[in-house]
Amino acid sequence: MSVADLQKIIDNSERVVFFGGAGVSTESGIPDFRSVDGLYNQSYAYPPEEILSHRFFFDNTEEFYRFYRDKMLCLDAKPNKAHRFCAELEQSGRLSAVVTQNIDGLHQASGSKKVFELHGSVHRNYCIKCHKFFDVDYIKNSSGIPICDSCGGIIKPDVVLYQEGLDDATVSEALSAISSADTLIIAGTSLSVYPAAGFVQYFRGNKTVLINRDKTPFDSNADLVFHEKVGELLGKIKI
């Protein structure tokens, strides 16, 4: 399996869907929060998965935001070669959609227009009482629990926390795009987080390309498999 094989698939595709996970953004300096390391253990009394849960948000809101501001708001991160690949392929008319599990907004920052954010976005926040919208800077520049300046309600990030369901409309559009694609590029995801990981089963097209640092349960089903960094590989493809 070579870059030339991938180039040939891209050249012969008309409706590519890019399905990406955390590994797409790690090259932009955004860590995979599921990788529990010494810093997390030293700074927080709870594992990331517990902090980023629906119950924890409402039971320990201030501690949630301490972690959220520190670890989830990587606002200085810039799009990498993987994000730019998607934007350029879309502009060429050959990429029909990006389906992402990431909440960082880097696909849009690179110029992608058709992006389905399965887990929401840090750039959208709303008051749980009056539903007023707040941008990410309002959250970043606040302290403690961010409060609505109109009604005094608590502001919640528009991200899907553990114990919460995905947005039905986003899911429907993402599955429609995947099912009508002729090529599916799965990148930077272990395909272990459901229900998102099950989306690839809806693909009915010709070629499946899998790019991930580590092996996944789907490796044997893909036409091309690369165990390397997503941006480094896609940066070699000519659009």
Side-chain angles (χ1 to χ4, degrees):
M1 299 181 185
S2 67
V3 174
D5 295 324
L6 177 56
Q7 183 72 61
K8 184 177 180 181
I9 287 177
I10 298 299
D11 290 343
N12 293 328
S13 299
E14 296 180 353
R15 297 181 309 280
V16 178
V17 166
F18 182 90
F19 181 89
V24 175
S25 291
T26 52
E27 289 170 83
S28 293
I30 297 180
D32 181 351
F33 67 84
R34 293 186 186 86
S35 301
V36 179
D37 58 24
L39 179 61
Y40 288 172
N41 294 333
Q42 293 167 17
S43 301
Y44 302 97
Y46 308 90
E49 287 85 352
E50 184 175 350
I51 297 174
L52 296 172
S53 69
H54 179 86
R55 179 175 296 173
F56 194 94
F57 175 83
F58 286 100
D59 290 348
N60 302 275
T61 311
E62 189 164 359
E63 180 67 7
F64 169 91
Y65 268 112
R66 189 168 80 89
F67 178 90
Y68 185 80
R69 289 190 187 93
D70 188 24
K71 295 296 181 184
M72 308 303 289
L73 298 184
C74 305
L75 303 184
D76 292 330
K78 304 297 181 184
N80 61 50
K81 292 178 181 179
H83 302 106
R84 291 193 289 273
F85 164 85
C86 291
E88 291 170 7
L89 194 62
E90 182 183 45
Q91 290 165 10
S92 76
R94 285 177 286 162
L95 186 138
S96 53
V98 170
V99 179
T100 180
Q101 299 175 73
N102 297 334
I103 60 175
D104 49 51
L106 290 180
H107 279 293
Q108 291 92 330
S110 71
S112 289
K113 305 298 183 185
K114 197 75 167 290
V115 182
F116 300 119
E117 297 171 307
L118 298 178
H119 296 156
S121 172
V122 299
H123 295 278
R124 299 188 301 269
N125 307 271
Y126 64 93
C127 172
I128 62 176
K129 187 176 180 181
C130 73
H131 304 291
K132 181 177 178 179
F133 173 87
F134 294 89
D135 63 19
V136 68
D137 290 329
Y138 190 90
I139 304 300
K140 184 74 172 180
N141 297 328
S142 63
S143 59
I145 301 173
I147 299 300
C148 176
D149 57 7
S150 292
C151 76
I154 295 173
I155 298 171
K156 184 179 184 294
D158 188 14
V159 299
V160 179
L161 303 176
Y162 288 97
Q163 302 163 354
E164 294 181 343
L166 304 185
D167 178 72
D168 288 341
T170 303
V171 168
S172 178
E173 291 181 293
L175 291 180
S176 176
I178 290 172
S179 63
S180 61
D182 60 6
T183 295
L184 179 64
I185 300 175
I186 305 166
T189 174
S190 63
L191 294 176
S192 61
V193 178
Y194 284 83
F199 283 29
V200 300
Q201 299 174 7
Y202 288 80
F203 178 63
R204 298 291 183 269
N206 301 321
K207 298 292 183 181
T208 305
V209 178
L210 198 152
I211 311 165
N212 195 53
R213 184 186 61 186
D214 303 313
K215 292 182 179 180
T216 79
F218 197 78
D219 282 16
S220 60
N221 299 97
D223 296 286
L224 282 182
V225 178
F226 298 90
H227 291 144
E228 52 188 284
K229 293 181 178 180
V230 181
E232 284 188 6
L233 175 65
L234 294 180
K236 301 174 184 176
I237 300 301
K238 297 179 180 178
I239 306 301

